[in-house]
Amino acid sequence: MAEEKKKEVHGTGSLSADALEAEDVLSGAEPWEPWETKLVVGSFIVAFIILLIGLFIVPTSIINAGG
């Protein structure tokens, strides 16, 4: 059914559900490499550690600044 409802939309400058299907967007995607997975997971780990450090430093600096 989705194949029948596809509309050809050219030059409208907008992204809508009628213009793009998930298969169309992902059709030219490259395969995911193992090193890319490690890079993304490592980035999330570093971001989480920095978040924890920030959550510790900010409240203690506010407490010390007030007193």
Side-chain angles (χ1 to χ4, degrees):
M1 274 195 258
E3 298 294 326
E4 298 169 6
K5 288 190 170 191
K6 281 188 182 179
K7 296 179 183 177
E8 292 293 324
V9 180
H10 298 287
T12 61
S14 66
L15 296 176
S16 65
D18 295 334
L20 297 174
E21 296 282 333
E23 298 86 26
D24 298 334
V25 174
L26 298 175
S27 64
E30 297 177 6
W32 193 260
E33 299 288 333
W35 66 268
E36 292 173 316
T37 303
K38 291 177 184 176
L39 180 67
V40 170
V41 170
S43 298
F44 277 118
I45 291 171
V46 169
F48 183 72
I49 291 171
I50 291 173
L51 177 67
L52 290 178
I53 292 170
L55 289 174
F56 176 74
I57 290 175
V58 169
T60 55
S61 64
I62 291 173
I63 292 171
N64 290 336

